[in-house]
Amino acid sequence: MIRKYVFGKPFVTGAVVKSIKPEIEEIEFLKKSGNELSFQLGRDDIVYGLGQMTRGINKRGWHYSCYNLDNCNHQEDSVSLYGSHNFLIVSGKSCFGIFIDFPGRIDYDIGYKDSSQMKIAVCGDDYDIYIITEKNEREIVKELRRLTGKSYVAPKWGFGYCQSRWGYKSEEDIRAVAENHQKNDIPLDSICMDIDYMEDYKDFTVDKNAFPDLKSLASDMAAEGIHLVPIIDAGVKIESGYEVYEEGVKNNYFCKDKNGKDFTAAVWPGKVHFPDFLQKEAREWFGSKYKPLIEAGIDGFWNDMNEPAIFYTEKRLNSVMNRIGELSEKNMGINEYFEFTGLVNSISHNSGDYEEFFHNAEGVAVSHKDVHNLYGFNMTRAASEAFEKISPDKKILIYSRSSYIGMHRYGGMWQGDNRSWWSHLLMNIQMTASLNMAGFLYTGADTGGFGSDTTEDLMVRWLQFSVFTPLMRNHSAIGTREQEVYKFSNMEDCRRIIKLRYVLLPYLYDTYLKAAEEDDMMFRPLGFDYHDERSRHTEDQLLLGDEVMIAPVYVQNAVGKNVYLPEEMMLVRMKSANEYTTEILSAGDYFVKMPTDELTFFIRKGKSIRVCEGGKNTAELSDKLFRIGYLK
Ligand code: GLC
């Protein structure tokens, strides 16, 4: 059951698809004072949710701020990431969900200042609050999904292995990835093309020197079952003669500054304007720009830098430069020194810059600051709605970096710029469950880690988790250690795991479709199905569908890990479709050996999964299906 409470005159975010009559009584469960909501947490209450956010599955014990941020240096103490998903479930004596539909900033203190208090501060007066009560957490999630709409379903090839790197600079680099996969017998479905395929980082252009014939490249790749997935950035380069820029200016499709001029910020190409994705016409226009790439044989895209990321604005840069000039003439003491070191970093993604531009929302000028969290959502909506027109019969893959609840209807999301850190592997595991609660089923993190140098051990362990996630993409940043698995001495182990992805695909794809169709989650915390204390507090094992439990290793040099079995399960050790063992374990605690050359997972009591013999890509999956598990 959902109750809706309306405060002020909320901006229509597009998150909700079902109309609900608002209540007039006082809000249930929460105390409201001004724009602060509070709830007294019981000792054993768990607070789930917040989608893409730092910390564990249980969000209790820290504070967070939902205000989309390009945060490539995020760590445990970060409070904002790329997406905002204002959905929580309180699970304890009372069990209820809260969804706050508000496109500006919301601050959460979930037992941080006082471990028994949850306080939510909405930074604005106009918002909708939905309180969901159902018989359990899983049903609460389903009810949220019925409110916000069905999750996006990616084309099947989007479930294959993807190799990506910011650093592939030419057609030769892309061909080399494909050849190396073939030569080394490592399955592959797609290769991402990062910003270097463009001419001067201009959206919807192709650098003719580096990629003289994209159409032939795409068709050669397609012949091998490989799809190319180019990146599209939010900012449009300011350059006279550049069609996208000229059209945007002419038709007032860009966000405006307070004087009514097109707002200027700097990102990869230097100075850019931001398309006003809150305008329907601008969405249609931007979406139509994907067409030539689709006609060249492209059928997948990733939308990036759409928080939107701002490297600097001229105004802020000037004031920082002036201040640096003043300080450098001084004998800097402690205060000046700290101010000085903070100044350079303060120019990027400064929330002050979000107050400097405006959207035209159906004729009304709206400050970006107040609708900030909707930008990436609407960029992806623009793409997705255009794809339906451009390619009505063929599904196009689309995933975004920034998001808001509701975007899950239009595309998937990757989990942003993580690092090659063990802690980020654990965060990936935990975040996947939280994102599923918010409706984001098509998700995955940069496998192996994006920033920092990865290690062979970390890569294979990360693959052992990503093998289960819908998006399985190895992606890394320029300047870091190259991490294509064929470059590693443990390639054989990595190959085994990637091949197993294809063995498991019938099960994974079915489970995904079922979750999307039934408004369900693909990955759940143990506490959603088992209510004993141990299960409720398990942070590093997940349930997958109704059949599987996974317990990924996320510790360097580990030979296995402690696993808790809430009930009898079957331990499966798999090296390939033809080489696997099973063993029934009764409920309890185990130290389970988990070598790097096999996949270790658990099948729940009485269940079985349908797998196949694998294949070199999703188009060539073996049709020899068989079952593993409790067979009757
Ligand atoms: C951003 C993206 C990253 C990409 C890079 C260059 O940091 O998050 O995935 O590789 O930009 O385009």
Side-chain angles (χ1 to χ4, degrees):
M1 177 183 182
I2 305 187
R3 290 202 171 86
K4 177 181 180 179
Y5 304 86
V6 180
F7 300 95
K9 280 202 168 130
F11 186 86
V12 180
T13 63
V16 162
V17 293
K18 191 167 142 185
S19 98
I20 290 181
K21 210 170 134 236
E23 303 286 329
I24 34 173
E25 289 121 63
E26 268 197 10
I27 187 161
E28 222 181 345
F29 298 110
L30 306 173
K31 240 198 228 139
K32 186 170 183 296
S33 148
N35 292 316
E36 187 182 88
L37 306 157
S38 55
F39 179 78
Q40 171 92 30
L41 291 164
R43 190 174 279 275
D44 296 322
D45 285 358
I46 289 179
V47 182
Y48 293 108
L50 291 187
Q52 183 179 30
M53 197 42 93
T54 52
R55 302 267 167 159
I57 294 176
N58 183 353
K59 290 286 174 252
R60 215 171 153 166
W62 188 239
H63 60 107
Y64 313 90
S65 184
C66 280
Y67 204 58
N68 295 350
L69 179 65
D70 174 3
N71 191 351
C72 61
N73 291 317
H74 60 272
Q75 309 204 26
E76 193 174 318
D77 62 351
S78 298
V79 296
S80 298
L81 291 178
Y82 304 85
S84 288
H85 310 116
N86 296 301
F87 174 60
L88 294 172
I89 298 175
V90 176
S91 156
K93 272 208 196 85
S94 330
C95 182
F96 61 97
I98 314 165
F99 169 45
I100 308 175
D101 192 9
F102 176 69
R105 173 174 162 169
I106 306 183
D107 296 324
Y108 297 83
D109 173 333
I110 308 183
Y112 166 64
K113 283 199 193 111
D114 171 346
S115 54
S116 66
Q117 289 294 325
M118 174 165 81
K119 292 200 185 293
I120 305 174
V122 185
C123 303
D125 299 323
D126 308 297
Y127 45 91
D128 290 326
I129 297 181
Y130 297 87
I131 298 289
I132 308 178
T133 42
E134 284 296 327
K135 65 171 191 278
N136 58 37
E137 297 85 351
R138 193 170 173 180
E139 291 302 320
I140 289 173
V141 167
K142 288 189 182 180
E143 193 66 0
L144 175 76
R145 200 84 57 77
R146 288 191 280 267
L147 178 71
T148 56
K150 296 254 173 252
S151 294
Y152 165 77
V153 176
K156 192 163 183 184
W157 65 264
F159 291 76
Y161 184 63
C162 174
Q163 180 56 52
S164 180
R165 179 168 171 88
W166 173 17
Y168 299 154
K169 288 195 181 293
S170 64
E171 167 171 342
E172 288 72 45
D173 290 347
I174 301 285
R175 287 189 190 275
V177 172
E179 274 158 29
N180 277 307
H181 270 260
Q182 249 139 28
K183 197 167 81 198
N184 293 296
D185 184 29
I186 305 166
L188 184 68
D189 264 85
S190 58
I191 304 175
C192 280
M193 292 163 63
D194 209 318
I195 45 175
D196 293 304
Y197 81 87
M198 295 183 222
E199 187 192 292
D200 297 331
Y201 310 122
K202 284 184 288 192
D203 275 341
F204 309 112
T205 66
V206 177
D207 178 345
K208 287 280 175 241
N209 292 322
F211 291 85
D213 189 351
L214 181 64
K215 203 167 178 174
S216 306
L217 177 67
S219 119
D220 291 351
M221 291 295 117
E224 302 299 331
I226 297 169
H227 301 252
L228 296 177
V229 185
I231 196 168
I232 303 291
D233 286 321
V236 170
K237 185 171 196 238
I238 299 177
E239 184 183 284
S240 68
Y242 164 42
E243 185 192 271
V244 186
Y245 161 74
E246 299 277 357
E247 288 177 9
V249 170
K250 187 166 146 232
N251 297 300
N252 287 314
Y253 289 152
F254 294 129
C255 294
K256 302 284 185 191
D257 66 16
K258 55 175 175 295
N259 302 315
K261 292 213 183 95
D262 292 328
F263 173 74
T264 301
V267 203
W268 304 121
K271 304 243 171 92
V272 299
H273 292 324
F274 290 128
D276 182 358
F277 292 116
L278 294 191
Q279 274 182 52
K280 185 166 176 276
E281 297 74 25
R283 279 200 301 275
E284 282 170 1
W285 161 74
F286 195 84
S288 72
K289 296 288 158 200
Y290 289 78
K291 191 170 177 197
L293 288 168
I294 294 174
E295 283 168 351
I298 300 296
D299 52 5
F301 297 90
W302 41 317
N303 281 347
D304 192 23
M305 307 298 275
N306 49 6
E307 292 70 27
I310 293 181
F311 290 170
Y312 65 88
T313 58
E314 208 163 62
K315 188 171 154 194
R316 188 168 303 280
L317 184 66
N318 288 339
S319 83
V320 163
M321 295 303 266
N322 288 341
R323 186 65 189 142
I324 287 179
E326 281 167 22
L327 288 170
S328 60
E329 281 164 17
K330 286 189 177 169
N331 172 9
M332 287 194 276
I334 179 167
N335 293 333
E336 291 86 1
Y337 171 73
F338 283 135
E339 185 189 346
F340 175 78
T341 54
L343 275 167
V344 171
N345 277 339
S346 74
I347 64 171
S348 301
H349 324 305
N350 191 303
S351 57
D353 291 334
Y354 296 135
E355 296 175 19
E356 301 282 331
F357 62 103
F358 297 83
H359 296 270
N360 172 0
E362 293 180 11
V364 180
V366 177
S367 166
H368 176 78
K369 165 182 146 269
D370 298 331
V371 289
H372 173 65
N373 292 339
L374 299 180
Y375 196 76
F377 168 5
N378 281 285
M379 178 182 181
T380 299
R381 178 175 172 192
S384 170
E385 289 180 340
F387 297 160
E388 277 171 28
K389 289 191 206 137
I390 302 168
S391 173
D393 303 323
K394 186 176 165 197
K395 226 179 220 312
I396 306 283
L397 178 68
I398 177 77
Y399 52 89
S400 169
R401 190 171 73 179
S402 185
S403 60
Y404 180 81
I405 290 183
M407 199 200 84
H408 69 283
R409 304 194 300 273
Y410 296 101
M413 52 162 290
W414 88 99
Q415 293 170 18
D417 294 347
N418 60 9
R419 294 286 190 98
S420 297
W421 292 340
W422 292 95
S423 59
H424 276 188
L425 169 53
L426 174 60
M427 191 170 75
N428 178 196
I429 298 164
Q430 296 167 327
M431 197 189 281
T432 299
S434 307
L435 280 170
N436 269 236
M437 295 175 204
F440 291 88
L441 299 182
Y442 190 79
T443 181
D446 290 348
T447 300
F450 174 75
S452 313
D453 292 332
T454 201
T455 65
E456 299 189 343
D457 185 19
L458 179 58
M459 178 52 84
V460 72
R461 292 304 190 186
W462 212 314
L463 286 169
Q464 285 176 330
F465 171 60
S466 299
V467 77
F468 297 107
T469 63
L471 173 64
M472 184 187 190
R473 183 178 81 149
N474 175 344
H475 181 54
S476 55
I478 197 158
T480 60
R481 178 182 184 179
E482 293 181 356
Q483 61 185 42
E484 293 79 8
V485 297
Y486 49 78
K487 294 194 171 141
F488 287 164
S489 70
N490 68 346
M491 176 183 72
E492 206 176 317
D493 288 356
C494 296
R495 174 172 50 213
R496 250 181 214 289
I497 306 303
I498 296 170
K499 282 191 163 187
L500 285 169
R501 164 69 163 210
Y502 290 80
V503 171
L504 293 172
L505 240 150
Y507 173 66
L508 295 174
Y509 192 57
D510 277 2
T511 306
Y512 185 94
L513 292 181
K514 191 165 176 272
E517 184 51 39
E518 294 176 5
D519 298 322
D520 206 345
M521 297 164 72
M522 182 167 173
F523 293 93
R524 295 183 307 286
L526 261 54
F528 274 39
D529 290 35
Y530 302 102
H531 301 115
D532 57 287
E533 192 176 36
R534 282 291 302 283
S535 295
R536 280 170 52 77
H537 293 283
T538 297
E539 287 272 345
D540 60 352
Q541 299 174 203
L542 294 178
L543 299 169
L544 163 57
D546 283 321
E547 296 80 12
V548 170
M549 182 181 82
I550 57 172
V553 169
Y554 53 90
V555 173
Q556 180 173 314
N557 295 317
V559 292
K561 73 177 272 180
N562 291 312
V563 181
Y564 170 66
L565 264 54
E567 64 174 341
E568 179 196 293
M569 288 190 193
M570 176 185 280
L571 165 65
V572 183
R573 298 183 174 283
M574 234 185 162
K575 280 191 194 298
S576 72
N578 307 313
E579 270 172 284
Y580 65 90
T581 61
T582 62
E583 184 188 347
I584 305 275
L585 301 177
S586 49
D589 285 290
Y590 295 86
F591 180 78
V592 180
K593 284 205 169 165
M594 297 198 181
T596 54
D597 67 344
E598 66 174 39
L599 198 59
T600 317
F601 59 95
F602 302 84
I603 295 184
R604 292 170 71 178
K605 193 175 176 190
K607 306 282 185 180
S608 66
I609 64 172
R610 202 171 60 119
V611 298
C612 76
E613 290 202 341
K616 72 176 195 126
N617 55 48
T618 48
E620 289 183 36
L621 274 191
S622 157
D623 52 15
K624 283 201 189 128
L625 292 162
F626 60 101
R627 280 193 174 273
I628 312 179
Y630 289 81
L631 300 172
K632 308 222 164 69

